[in-house]
Amino acid sequence: MRVREATEQDLDAVIHVGVTTWRATYPPITGEAYVEEGIAKWWAPDAVLPGIRAGTVLVAEVDDQVVAMASYSVFEDHLMLWKLYVLPDSQGSGAGSALLSEVIARAGSLPVRLTHLVGNDRAHAVYERLGFVESATVPSPIDDGPEEIVMERPAG
């Protein structure tokens, strides 16, 4: 497995990871309308491309195929992990952990913060194993969506 910064040539693969994972994971938690609204809002090329151009989108590859992605940025006083998705067939392969380890390394002296949907217990357990602690619950960024759990990992 190889982790690297995404390039513009990876745009379709990054979107494929996000859309495929959203459609496989979120309907039982959120319903179909939330999934489709989120895909339209956060997985359109215009939403993904700026992060790729900024160098803040990472991909994990196996045999030259993108199987996972992460996007992050410095936000206020921390590094915010905005997205971390692994294709369903590659979950459990270590791709997500490899991406998260790289994001943590890039945070330097900043804590790392993320959110995940209430009800996504699998994500919660993964983040806890990697040193993240629940710190708050915030409203959904999409009307009628589930709340989000905020988790943080101290710097270092």
Side-chain angles (χ1 to χ4, degrees):
M1 179 177 327
R2 181 177 103 151
V3 171
R4 63 174 175 79
E5 285 184 12
T7 67
E8 290 187 32
Q9 290 73 35
D10 295 312
L11 178 63
D12 290 342
V14 168
I15 291 170
H16 173 74
V17 168
V19 170
T20 300
T21 306
W22 267 61
R23 287 190 173 137
T25 305
Y26 291 149
I29 299 169
T30 66
E32 294 289 339
Y34 178 98
V35 170
E36 294 309 314
E37 185 173 342
I39 287 170
K41 185 174 185 173
W42 293 308
W43 294 104
D46 290 347
V48 176
L49 200 51
I52 290 175
R53 288 180 175 152
T56 58
V57 175
L58 304 174
V59 294
E61 292 179 319
V62 174
D63 298 327
D64 296 323
Q65 297 295 312
V66 173
V67 299
M69 64 75 60
S71 70
Y72 65 92
S73 67
V74 174
F75 184 74
E76 298 171 349
D77 61 348
H78 60 279
L79 186 138
M80 185 70 190
L81 177 66
W82 298 107
K83 298 174 180 170
L84 177 63
Y85 292 100
V86 180
L87 287 172
D89 290 346
S90 295
Q91 292 176 4
S93 69
S97 294
L99 285 167
L100 191 52
S101 293
E102 180 62 24
V103 169
I104 291 167
R106 290 174 180 226
S109 62
L110 295 174
V112 177
R113 193 172 295 162
L114 58 84
T115 63
H116 69 80
L117 297 176
V118 167
N120 192 349
D121 299 332
R122 185 172 181 190
H124 192 89
V126 168
Y127 295 135
E128 278 187 329
R129 280 196 305 274
L130 296 170
F132 286 82
V133 177
E134 185 174 334
S135 60
T137 304
V138 295
S140 173
I142 295 178
D143 290 342
D144 300 322
E147 291 183 311
E148 294 186 354
I149 294 173
V150 179
M151 298 184 82
E152 189 167 318
R153 185 180 191 279

